[in-house]
Amino acid sequence: MIRVEPVNVQVRADWFDGRPREITWNARRLRVTEVVGVRDETSAFPVVVGPRTIFEVQTSVARFTLSYRHRTRRWSIEGLDEARHAA
C-alpha cells in the first residue's frame, strides 16, 4: 500500500451501514467490489479535529484506503495499491 497525500474524492455509501459502494476519482467511477477492512478511530483524535473511519476497499482497478471525517463529512484517499491487482 502506497501512502499518498490525502486526495478529496466523492464516495457513494450504503444508506444503512455507511460502507462505500462507489468511488468517483479523476472523473472516473469505480465500483467497490469488496470492503476489506474497517477501522473506527473515534477516540483517536482530539474533539477539535473530530473522529474518522478508515475503509480499505477493493475495486477493479486497485485497492484504496479511504478515510471519512465525520465532522466535515468529507471522504479522502489516503492509500493506493495497484500492484496487488496486477499480480
Side-chain angles (χ1 to χ4, degrees):
M1 184 69 65
I2 299 170
R3 306 265 312 145
V4 296
E5 276 298 313
V7 177
N8 286 334
V9 65
Q10 291 182 341
V11 176
R12 293 182 72 191
D14 187 272
W15 189 255
F16 296 106
D17 63 8
R19 291 176 180 253
R21 297 292 179 221
E22 182 180 81
I23 303 168
T24 303
W25 179 49
N26 289 339
R28 189 172 178 190
R29 295 173 80 179
L30 303 170
R31 185 176 166 273
V32 173
T33 56
E34 179 183 4
V35 176
V36 180
V38 179
R39 184 172 62 227
D40 182 13
E41 296 184 345
T42 302
S43 58
F45 288 89
V47 175
V48 176
V49 176
R52 74 177 182 171
T53 304
I54 305 293
F55 295 90
E56 191 169 322
V57 299
Q58 183 70 44
T59 67
S60 61
V61 175
R63 182 177 282 198
F64 292 91
T65 301
L66 301 173
S67 72
Y68 178 71
R69 298 215 177 255
H70 297 270
R71 184 170 301 260
T72 59
R73 296 182 180 164
R74 296 203 183 257
W75 288 90
S76 62
I77 295 175
E78 294 194 356
L80 174 66
D81 186 10
E82 291 179 309
R84 181 178 172 117
H85 180 68

Coordinates of all heavy atoms in Angstrom, one line a residue:
M1 N 0.9 -1.2 0.0 CA 0.0 0.0 0.0 C 0.9 1.2 0.0 O 1.8 1.4 0.9 CB -0.9 0.0 1.2 CG -1.9 1.1 1.3 SD -3.3 1.0 0.1 CE -4.1 -0.4 0.6
I2 N 0.7 2.1 -0.9 CA 1.5 3.3 -1.0 C 0.7 4.4 -0.4 O -0.5 4.7 -0.7 CB 1.7 3.7 -2.5 CG1 2.5 2.6 -3.2 CG2 2.4 5.1 -2.6 CD1 2.6 2.8 -4.7
R3 N 1.3 5.1 0.6 CA 0.6 6.2 1.3 C 0.7 7.4 0.4 O 1.7 7.7 -0.2 CB 1.3 6.5 2.6 CG 1.4 5.4 3.5 CD 0.4 5.2 4.6 NE 0.0 6.3 5.4 CZ -1.2 6.5 5.8 NH1 -2.1 5.6 5.5 NH2 -1.5 7.5 6.6
V4 N -0.4 8.1 0.2 CA -0.4 9.3 -0.6 C -0.9 10.5 0.2 O -1.6 10.3 1.2 CB -1.3 9.1 -1.9 CG1 -0.8 8.0 -2.8 CG2 -2.7 8.8 -1.5
E5 N -0.7 11.7 -0.3 CA -1.3 12.9 0.3 C -2.8 12.7 0.1 O -3.3 12.3 -0.9 CB -0.8 14.1 -0.5 CG 0.5 14.7 -0.1 CD 0.5 15.2 1.4 OE1 -0.4 15.8 1.8 OE2 1.5 14.8 2.0
P6 N -3.5 13.0 1.2 CA -5.0 12.8 1.1 C -5.6 13.6 -0.1 O -5.3 14.8 -0.3 CB -5.5 13.4 2.4 CG -4.3 13.2 3.4 CD -3.1 13.4 2.5
V7 N -6.3 12.9 -0.9 CA -7.0 13.5 -2.1 C -8.5 13.4 -1.9 O -9.0 12.3 -1.6 CB -6.6 12.7 -3.4 CG1 -7.3 13.2 -4.6 CG2 -5.1 12.7 -3.6
N8 N -9.1 14.5 -2.0 CA -10.6 14.5 -1.9 C -11.2 13.7 -3.0 O -10.7 13.8 -4.1 CB -11.1 15.9 -1.9 CG -10.9 16.6 -0.6 OD1 -10.7 16.0 0.5 ND2 -10.8 17.9 -0.6
V9 N -12.2 13.0 -2.7 CA -12.9 12.1 -3.6 C -14.4 12.0 -3.3 O -14.7 12.3 -2.1 CB -12.2 10.7 -3.5 CG1 -12.4 10.0 -2.2 CG2 -12.7 9.8 -4.6
Q10 N -15.2 11.7 -4.2 CA -16.6 11.6 -4.0 C -16.9 10.1 -3.8 O -16.4 9.2 -4.6 CB -17.4 12.1 -5.1 CG -17.4 13.6 -5.2 CD -18.3 14.1 -6.3 OE1 -18.7 13.3 -7.2 NE2 -18.7 15.4 -6.3
V11 N -17.6 9.7 -2.8 CA -17.9 8.3 -2.5 C -19.4 8.2 -2.3 O -20.0 9.0 -1.5 CB -17.2 7.9 -1.2 CG1 -17.6 6.5 -0.8 CG2 -15.7 8.0 -1.4
R12 N -20.0 7.2 -2.9 CA -21.4 6.9 -2.7 C -21.4 5.7 -1.7 O -20.8 4.7 -1.9 CB -22.1 6.4 -3.9 CG -22.2 7.6 -4.9 CD -22.9 7.2 -6.1 NE -24.4 7.1 -5.8 CZ -25.3 6.5 -6.6 NH1 -24.9 6.0 -7.7 NH2 -26.5 6.4 -6.2
A13 N -22.1 5.9 -0.5 CA -22.1 4.9 0.5 C -23.4 4.3 0.7 O -24.5 4.9 0.3 CB -21.6 5.6 1.8
D14 N -23.5 3.1 1.3 CA -24.7 2.5 1.6 C -25.5 3.3 2.6 O -25.0 3.8 3.5 CB -24.4 1.1 2.2 CG -25.7 0.3 2.3 OD1 -26.3 0.4 3.4 OD2 -26.0 -0.5 1.4
W15 N -26.8 3.4 2.3 CA -27.6 4.3 3.1 C -27.8 3.8 4.6 O -27.9 4.6 5.5 CB -29.0 4.3 2.5 CG -29.9 5.3 3.1 CD1 -31.0 5.1 3.9 CD2 -29.9 6.7 3.0 NE1 -31.6 6.2 4.3 CE2 -30.9 7.3 3.8 CE3 -29.1 7.6 2.3 CZ2 -31.2 8.6 3.9 CZ3 -29.3 9.0 2.4 CH2 -30.4 9.5 3.2
F16 N -27.7 2.5 4.8 CA -27.9 1.9 6.1 C -26.7 1.7 6.9 O -26.6 2.0 8.1 CB -28.7 0.6 6.0 CG -30.0 0.7 5.4 CD1 -30.3 0.4 4.1 CD2 -31.1 1.3 6.2 CE1 -31.6 0.5 3.6 CE2 -32.3 1.5 5.7 CZ -32.6 1.1 4.4
D17 N -25.6 1.2 6.4 CA -24.4 0.9 7.2 C -23.2 1.9 6.9 O -22.2 1.8 7.6 CB -24.0 -0.5 7.0 CG -23.5 -0.9 5.6 OD1 -23.4 0.0 4.7 OD2 -23.3 -2.1 5.4
G18 N -23.3 2.7 5.9 CA -22.3 3.7 5.6 C -21.1 3.2 4.9 O -20.1 3.9 4.7
R19 N -21.1 1.9 4.4 CA -19.9 1.4 3.7 C -19.9 1.9 2.3 O -20.9 2.0 1.6 CB -20.0 -0.1 3.7 CG -19.8 -0.7 5.1 CD -19.9 -2.2 5.1 NE -19.7 -2.7 6.4 CZ -18.6 -3.4 6.8 NH1 -17.7 -3.7 5.9 NH2 -18.5 -3.9 8.0
P20 N -18.7 2.2 1.8 CA -18.5 2.7 0.4 C -19.0 1.7 -0.6 O -18.8 0.5 -0.5 CB -17.0 3.0 0.3 CG -16.5 2.9 1.6 CD -17.4 2.1 2.5
R21 N -19.7 2.2 -1.6 CA -20.2 1.4 -2.7 C -19.6 1.8 -4.1 O -19.5 1.0 -5.0 CB -21.7 1.4 -2.8 CG -22.4 0.9 -1.6 CD -22.2 -0.6 -1.5 NE -22.9 -1.1 -0.3 CZ -22.4 -2.0 0.5 NH1 -21.2 -2.5 0.3 NH2 -23.0 -2.4 1.6
E22 N -19.3 3.1 -4.2 CA -18.7 3.6 -5.5 C -17.8 4.8 -5.2 O -18.2 5.6 -4.4 CB -19.9 4.0 -6.4 CG -19.5 4.5 -7.7 CD -20.7 4.8 -8.6 OE1 -21.2 6.0 -8.4 OE2 -21.1 4.0 -9.4
I23 N -16.7 4.9 -5.9 CA -15.8 6.0 -5.8 C -15.7 6.7 -7.1 O -15.6 6.1 -8.1 CB -14.3 5.4 -5.5 CG1 -14.3 4.6 -4.2 CG2 -13.3 6.6 -5.3 CD1 -13.0 3.8 -4.0
T24 N -15.8 8.0 -7.0 CA -15.6 8.9 -8.2 C -14.3 9.6 -8.0 O -14.2 10.5 -7.1 CB -16.7 9.9 -8.4 OG1 -18.0 9.1 -8.5 CG2 -16.6 10.6 -9.7
W25 N -13.3 9.3 -8.8 CA -11.9 9.8 -8.7 C -11.4 10.2 -10.0 O -11.4 9.3 -10.9 CB -11.1 8.8 -8.0 CG -9.7 9.1 -7.7 CD1 -9.2 10.2 -7.2 CD2 -8.5 8.3 -8.0 NE1 -7.8 10.2 -7.1 CE2 -7.4 9.0 -7.6 CE3 -8.4 7.0 -8.6 CZ2 -6.1 8.5 -7.7 CZ3 -7.1 6.5 -8.7 CH2 -6.0 7.2 -8.3
N26 N -10.9 11.4 -10.2 CA -10.4 11.9 -11.5 C -11.4 11.6 -12.6 O -11.1 11.1 -13.7 CB -9.1 11.2 -11.9 CG -8.0 11.6 -11.0 OD1 -8.0 12.7 -10.4 ND2 -6.9 10.8 -10.9
A27 N -12.7 12.0 -12.4 CA -13.8 11.8 -13.3 C -14.0 10.4 -13.7 O -14.5 10.1 -14.8 CB -13.6 12.7 -14.5
R28 N -13.6 9.4 -12.9 CA -13.7 8.0 -13.2 C -14.5 7.3 -12.1 O -14.2 7.5 -10.9 CB -12.3 7.4 -13.3 CG -12.3 6.0 -13.8 CD -10.9 5.6 -14.0 NE -10.9 4.2 -14.5 CZ -9.8 3.5 -14.6 NH1 -8.6 4.0 -14.3 NH2 -9.8 2.3 -15.0
R29 N -15.5 6.6 -12.4 CA -16.4 5.9 -11.4 C -15.9 4.5 -11.3 O -15.8 3.8 -12.2 CB -17.8 6.0 -11.9 CG -18.4 7.4 -11.9 CD -19.7 7.4 -12.5 NE -20.7 7.0 -11.5 CZ -22.0 7.0 -11.6 NH1 -22.5 7.2 -12.8 NH2 -22.8 6.6 -10.6
L30 N -15.6 4.2 -10.0 CA -15.1 2.8 -9.7 C -16.0 2.2 -8.7 O -16.3 2.7 -7.7 CB -13.7 2.9 -9.1 CG -12.6 3.6 -9.9 CD1 -11.4 3.8 -9.1 CD2 -12.3 2.8 -11.1
R31 N -16.5 1.0 -9.1 CA -17.4 0.3 -8.2 C -16.6 -0.5 -7.2 O -15.6 -1.1 -7.5 CB -18.2 -0.7 -9.0 CG -19.3 -1.4 -8.2 CD -20.1 -2.3 -9.1 NE -20.9 -3.3 -8.3 CZ -20.4 -4.4 -7.9 NH1 -19.2 -4.8 -8.3 NH2 -21.2 -5.2 -7.2
V32 N -17.0 -0.4 -5.9 CA -16.3 -1.1 -4.8 C -16.8 -2.6 -4.9 O -18.0 -2.8 -4.8 CB -16.6 -0.5 -3.5 CG1 -16.1 -1.3 -2.3 CG2 -16.1 0.9 -3.4
T33 N -15.8 -3.5 -5.1 CA -16.2 -4.9 -5.2 C -16.2 -5.6 -3.8 O -16.8 -6.6 -3.6 CB -15.2 -5.6 -6.1 OG1 -13.9 -5.4 -5.7 CG2 -15.4 -5.1 -7.6
E34 N -15.3 -5.0 -2.9 CA -15.2 -5.7 -1.6 C -14.7 -4.6 -0.6 O -13.8 -3.8 -0.9 CB -14.2 -6.8 -1.7 CG -14.0 -7.5 -0.4 CD -12.9 -8.6 -0.5 OE1 -12.3 -8.8 -1.6 OE2 -12.7 -9.3 0.5
V35 N -15.3 -4.6 0.6 CA -14.8 -3.9 1.7 C -13.9 -4.8 2.5 O -14.4 -5.7 3.2 CB -15.9 -3.3 2.6 CG1 -15.3 -2.6 3.8 CG2 -16.8 -2.4 1.8
V36 N -12.6 -4.6 2.5 CA -11.6 -5.5 3.1 C -11.5 -5.3 4.6 O -11.4 -6.2 5.3 CB -10.2 -5.3 2.4 CG1 -9.2 -6.2 3.0 CG2 -10.4 -5.5 0.9
G37 N -11.5 -4.0 5.0 CA -11.4 -3.7 6.4 C -12.0 -2.4 6.8 O -12.1 -1.5 6.0
V38 N -12.4 -2.3 8.1 CA -12.9 -1.0 8.6 C -12.2 -0.8 9.9 O -12.1 -1.7 10.8 CB -14.4 -1.1 8.8 CG1 -15.0 0.2 9.4 CG2 -15.1 -1.5 7.5
R39 N -11.7 0.5 10.1 CA -11.1 0.9 11.4 C -11.8 2.1 11.9 O -11.8 3.2 11.2 CB -9.6 1.1 11.2 CG -8.9 1.4 12.5 CD -7.4 1.4 12.3 NE -7.0 2.5 11.5 CZ -6.1 2.3 10.5 NH1 -5.6 1.1 10.2 NH2 -5.8 3.3 9.7
D40 N -12.4 2.0 13.0 CA -13.1 3.2 13.7 C -12.1 3.9 14.6 O -11.6 3.3 15.5 CB -14.3 2.7 14.5 CG -15.1 3.8 15.1 OD1 -14.8 5.0 14.7 OD2 -15.9 3.5 16.0
E41 N -11.8 5.1 14.2 CA -10.8 5.9 15.0 C -11.6 7.1 15.8 O -11.1 8.2 15.8 CB -9.8 6.5 14.1 CG -8.9 5.4 13.5 CD -7.8 5.9 12.6 OE1 -7.8 7.1 12.3 OE2 -6.9 5.1 12.3
T42 N -12.7 6.7 16.4 CA -13.5 7.7 17.1 C -12.7 8.4 18.2 O -12.7 9.6 18.4 CB -14.8 7.1 17.6 OG1 -15.5 6.5 16.5 CG2 -15.7 8.1 18.3
S43 N -12.0 7.6 19.0 CA -11.4 8.1 20.2 C -9.9 8.4 20.0 O -9.2 8.8 20.9 CB -11.5 7.2 21.4 OG -11.0 5.9 21.0
A44 N -9.4 8.3 18.7 CA -8.0 8.6 18.5 C -7.7 10.0 18.2 O -6.5 10.3 18.0 CB -7.6 7.7 17.3
F45 N -8.7 10.9 18.0 CA -8.4 12.2 17.6 C -9.0 13.2 18.7 O -10.0 12.9 19.3 CB -9.1 12.5 16.3 CG -8.3 11.9 15.1 CD1 -8.7 10.6 14.7 CD2 -7.3 12.6 14.5 CE1 -8.0 10.0 13.7 CE2 -6.6 12.0 13.5 CZ -7.0 10.7 13.1
P46 N -8.4 14.4 18.8 CA -9.0 15.4 19.7 C -10.4 15.8 19.2 O -10.7 15.7 18.0 CB -8.0 16.6 19.6 CG -6.8 16.0 19.0 CD -7.2 14.8 18.2
V47 N -11.2 16.3 20.1 CA -12.5 16.8 19.8 C -12.5 17.8 18.7 O -13.4 17.9 17.8 CB -13.3 17.3 21.0 CG1 -14.6 17.8 20.7 CG2 -13.4 16.2 22.1
V48 N -11.5 18.7 18.7 CA -11.4 19.8 17.7 C -11.3 19.2 16.3 O -11.9 19.7 15.3 CB -10.2 20.7 18.0 CG1 -10.1 21.8 17.0 CG2 -10.4 21.3 19.4
V49 N -10.5 18.2 16.1 CA -10.3 17.6 14.8 C -11.5 16.7 14.4 O -11.9 16.7 13.3 CB -9.0 16.7 14.8 CG1 -8.8 16.0 13.5 CG2 -7.8 17.6 15.1
G50 N -12.0 16.0 15.4 CA -13.1 15.1 15.1 C -12.7 13.7 14.8 O -11.6 13.4 14.4
P51 N -13.6 12.8 14.9 CA -13.3 11.4 14.6 C -13.3 11.1 13.1 O -13.8 11.9 12.3 CB -14.5 10.6 15.2 CG -15.6 11.6 15.1 CD -15.0 12.9 15.3
R52 N -12.7 9.9 12.7 CA -12.7 9.5 11.4 C -12.8 7.9 11.3 O -12.5 7.3 12.3 CB -11.5 9.9 10.6 CG -10.2 9.2 10.9 CD -9.1 9.6 10.1 NE -7.9 8.9 10.4 CZ -6.8 8.9 9.8 NH1 -6.7 9.7 8.7 NH2 -5.7 8.2 10.1
T53 N -13.3 7.4 10.2 CA -13.4 6.0 10.0 C -12.6 5.7 8.7 O -12.7 6.4 7.7 CB -14.8 5.5 9.8 OG1 -15.6 5.9 11.0 CG2 -14.9 4.0 9.7
I54 N -11.7 4.7 8.8 CA -10.9 4.2 7.7 C -11.5 3.0 7.1 O -11.8 2.0 7.8 CB -9.4 3.9 8.1 CG1 -8.8 5.1 8.9 CG2 -8.6 3.5 7.0 CD1 -8.6 6.3 8.1
F55 N -11.6 3.0 5.7 CA -12.1 1.8 5.0 C -11.1 1.4 4.0 O -10.5 2.2 3.3 CB -13.4 2.2 4.2 CG -14.6 2.5 5.0 CD1 -14.8 3.8 5.4 CD2 -15.5 1.5 5.4 CE1 -15.9 4.1 6.1 CE2 -16.6 1.9 6.2 CZ -16.8 3.2 6.5
E56 N -10.7 0.1 4.0 CA -9.9 -0.4 3.0 C -10.8 -1.2 2.0 O -11.5 -2.1 2.4 CB -8.8 -1.4 3.6 CG -7.8 -1.7 2.6 CD -6.6 -2.4 3.2 OE1 -6.2 -2.0 4.3 OE2 -6.0 -3.3 2.6
V57 N -10.8 -0.7 0.7 CA -11.8 -1.3 -0.2 C -11.0 -1.7 -1.5 O -10.0 -1.2 -1.9 CB -12.8 -0.2 -0.6 CG1 -13.7 0.2 0.6 CG2 -12.2 1.0 -1.3
Q58 N -11.6 -2.7 -2.1 CA -11.1 -3.3 -3.4 C -12.0 -2.9 -4.5 O -13.2 -3.0 -4.4 CB -11.0 -4.8 -3.3 CG -10.4 -5.5 -4.5 CD -8.9 -5.2 -4.6 OE1 -8.2 -5.3 -3.6 NE2 -8.4 -4.9 -5.8
T59 N -11.4 -2.4 -5.6 CA -12.1 -2.1 -6.8 C -11.5 -2.9 -8.0 O -10.5 -3.6 -7.7 CB -12.0 -0.6 -7.2 OG1 -10.7 -0.2 -7.5 CG2 -12.5 0.3 -6.1
S60 N -12.0 -2.8 -9.2 CA -11.5 -3.5 -10.3 C -10.1 -3.0 -10.7 O -9.3 -3.6 -11.4 CB -12.4 -3.4 -11.5 OG -12.6 -2.1 -11.9
V61 N -9.8 -1.7 -10.3 CA -8.5 -1.1 -10.7 C -7.4 -1.2 -9.6 O -6.3 -1.5 -9.9 CB -8.8 0.4 -11.0 CG1 -7.5 1.1 -11.2 CG2 -9.7 0.6 -12.1
A62 N -7.8 -1.1 -8.4 CA -6.8 -1.1 -7.3 C -7.5 -1.2 -5.9 O -8.7 -1.2 -5.8 CB -6.0 0.2 -7.3
R63 N -6.6 -1.4 -4.9 CA -7.1 -1.3 -3.5 C -6.9 0.1 -3.0 O -5.8 0.6 -3.1 CB -6.4 -2.4 -2.7 CG -6.9 -2.4 -1.3 CD -6.3 -3.5 -0.5 NE -6.9 -4.8 -0.8 CZ -6.8 -5.9 -0.1 NH1 -6.1 -5.8 1.0 NH2 -7.3 -7.0 -0.5
F64 N -7.9 0.6 -2.3 CA -7.8 2.0 -1.8 C -8.0 2.0 -0.3 O -8.7 1.2 0.2 CB -8.9 2.9 -2.4 CG -8.8 3.2 -3.9 CD1 -9.4 2.4 -4.8 CD2 -8.1 4.3 -4.3 CE1 -9.3 2.6 -6.1 CE2 -7.9 4.6 -5.6 CZ -8.5 3.7 -6.6
T65 N -7.3 2.9 0.3 CA -7.6 3.2 1.7 C -8.3 4.6 1.8 O -7.8 5.6 1.4 CB -6.3 3.4 2.6 OG1 -5.6 2.1 2.5 CG2 -6.6 3.7 4.0
L66 N -9.6 4.5 2.1 CA -10.4 5.7 2.2 C -10.6 6.1 3.6 O -10.8 5.3 4.5 CB -11.8 5.4 1.6 CG -11.8 5.0 0.1 CD1 -13.3 4.6 -0.2 CD2 -11.3 6.1 -0.8
S67 N -10.6 7.4 3.9 CA -11.0 7.9 5.2 C -12.2 8.8 5.1 O -12.3 9.6 4.2 CB -9.8 8.7 5.9 OG -9.6 9.9 5.2
Y68 N -13.0 8.7 6.1 CA -14.2 9.6 6.2 C -14.1 10.4 7.5 O -14.1 9.8 8.6 CB -15.5 8.7 6.2 CG -16.8 9.5 6.4 CD1 -17.2 10.3 5.3 CD2 -17.5 9.5 7.6 CE1 -18.3 11.1 5.5 CE2 -18.6 10.3 7.7 CZ -19.0 11.1 6.7 OH -20.2 11.9 6.8
R69 N -14.1 11.7 7.4 CA -14.0 12.6 8.5 C -15.4 13.0 8.9 O -16.1 13.6 8.1 CB -13.2 13.8 8.2 CG -11.7 13.4 7.9 CD -10.8 14.5 8.4 NE -9.4 14.1 8.2 CZ -8.6 13.6 9.2 NH1 -9.1 13.6 10.4 NH2 -7.4 13.3 8.9
H70 N -15.9 12.5 10.0 CA -17.3 12.7 10.5 C -17.6 14.2 10.7 O -18.7 14.6 10.3 CB -17.5 11.9 11.7 CG -17.4 10.4 11.5 ND1 -18.4 9.6 11.2 CD2 -16.3 9.6 11.7 CE1 -18.0 8.4 11.0 NE2 -16.7 8.4 11.3
R71 N -16.7 15.0 11.2 CA -17.1 16.3 11.5 C -17.3 17.2 10.2 O -18.2 17.9 10.1 CB -16.0 17.0 12.3 CG -16.3 18.4 12.7 CD -15.3 18.9 13.7 NE -15.3 18.1 14.9 CZ -15.9 18.3 16.0 NH1 -16.5 19.5 16.2 NH2 -15.8 17.5 17.1
T72 N -16.4 17.0 9.2 CA -16.6 17.7 8.0 C -17.4 17.0 6.9 O -17.7 17.5 5.8 CB -15.2 18.1 7.4 OG1 -14.5 16.9 7.1 CG2 -14.4 19.0 8.3
R73 N -17.7 15.7 7.2 CA -18.4 14.8 6.2 C -17.7 14.8 4.9 O -18.3 14.9 3.8 CB -19.8 15.3 6.0 CG -20.6 15.2 7.3 CD -22.0 15.6 7.1 NE -22.8 15.5 8.3 CZ -23.9 16.0 8.6 NH1 -24.5 16.7 7.6 NH2 -24.5 15.8 9.7
R74 N -16.4 14.6 4.9 CA -15.6 14.5 3.7 C -14.8 13.2 3.6 O -14.3 12.7 4.6 CB -14.5 15.6 3.6 CG -15.2 17.0 3.6 CD -14.2 18.0 3.0 NE -14.9 19.3 3.0 CZ -15.4 19.8 1.9 NH1 -15.4 19.2 0.8 NH2 -15.9 21.0 2.0
W75 N -14.8 12.7 2.4 CA -14.0 11.5 2.1 C -12.7 11.8 1.4 O -12.6 12.8 0.7 CB -14.8 10.6 1.1 CG -16.0 9.9 1.6 CD1 -17.3 10.4 1.6 CD2 -16.1 8.7 2.2 NE1 -18.1 9.5 2.2 CE2 -17.4 8.4 2.5 CE3 -15.1 7.6 2.5 CZ2 -17.9 7.2 3.1 CZ3 -15.6 6.5 3.0 CH2 -16.9 6.3 3.4
S76 N -11.7 11.0 1.7 CA -10.4 11.2 1.0 C -9.7 9.9 0.8 O -9.9 8.9 1.5 CB -9.5 12.2 1.8 OG -9.2 11.7 3.0
I77 N -8.8 9.8 -0.2 CA -8.0 8.7 -0.5 C -6.7 8.9 0.3 O -6.0 9.9 0.0 CB -7.7 8.5 -2.0 CG1 -9.1 8.2 -2.7 CG2 -6.7 7.4 -2.2 CD1 -8.9 8.1 -4.2
E78 N -6.3 7.9 1.1 CA -5.0 8.1 1.8 C -4.0 7.0 1.4 O -2.8 7.1 1.8 CB -5.3 8.0 3.3 CG -6.1 9.2 3.8 CD -6.1 9.3 5.3 OE1 -5.5 8.4 6.0 OE2 -6.6 10.3 5.8
G79 N -4.4 6.0 0.7 CA -3.5 4.9 0.2 C -4.0 4.3 -1.0 O -5.2 4.3 -1.3
L80 N -3.1 3.7 -1.8 CA -3.4 3.1 -3.1 C -2.5 2.0 -3.3 O -1.3 2.1 -3.1 CB -3.3 4.2 -4.2 CG -3.4 3.8 -5.6 CD1 -4.8 3.4 -5.9 CD2 -3.0 5.0 -6.5
D81 N -3.0 0.9 -3.8 CA -2.2 -0.3 -4.1 C -2.6 -0.9 -5.4 O -3.6 -1.6 -5.5 CB -2.3 -1.3 -3.0 CG -1.4 -2.5 -3.2 OD1 -0.5 -2.5 -4.1 OD2 -1.5 -3.5 -2.5
E82 N -1.9 -0.5 -6.5 CA -2.2 -1.1 -7.8 C -1.5 -2.4 -8.1 O -2.0 -3.2 -8.9 CB -1.9 -0.1 -8.9 CG -2.7 1.2 -8.9 CD -2.3 2.2 -10.0 OE1 -1.1 2.5 -10.0 OE2 -3.2 2.6 -10.7
A83 N -0.4 -2.6 -7.4 CA 0.4 -3.8 -7.7 C -0.3 -5.1 -7.3 O -0.2 -6.1 -8.0 CB 1.7 -3.7 -6.9
R84 N -1.1 -5.1 -6.3 CA -1.9 -6.3 -5.9 C -2.8 -6.7 -7.0 O -3.0 -7.9 -7.3 CB -2.6 -6.0 -4.6 CG -3.4 -7.3 -4.2 CD -4.1 -7.1 -2.9 NE -4.9 -8.2 -2.6 CZ -4.8 -9.0 -1.6 NH1 -3.8 -8.8 -0.7 NH2 -5.5 -10.1 -1.5
H85 N -3.4 -5.8 -7.7 CA -4.4 -6.1 -8.8 C -3.6 -6.7 -10.0 O -4.1 -7.6 -10.6 CB -5.2 -4.9 -9.2 CG -6.1 -5.2 -10.3 ND1 -7.2 -5.9 -10.2 CD2 -6.1 -4.8 -11.6 CE1 -7.9 -6.0 -11.3 NE2 -7.2 -5.3 -12.2
A86 N -2.4 -6.2 -10.2 CA -1.7 -6.7 -11.4 C -1.1 -8.1 -11.2 O -0.9 -8.8 -12.1 CB -0.5 -5.7 -11.7
A87 N -0.9 -8.5 -9.9 CA -0.3 -9.8 -9.7 C -1.2 -10.9 -9.9 O -2.0 -11.3 -10.3 CB 0.1 -9.9 -8.2

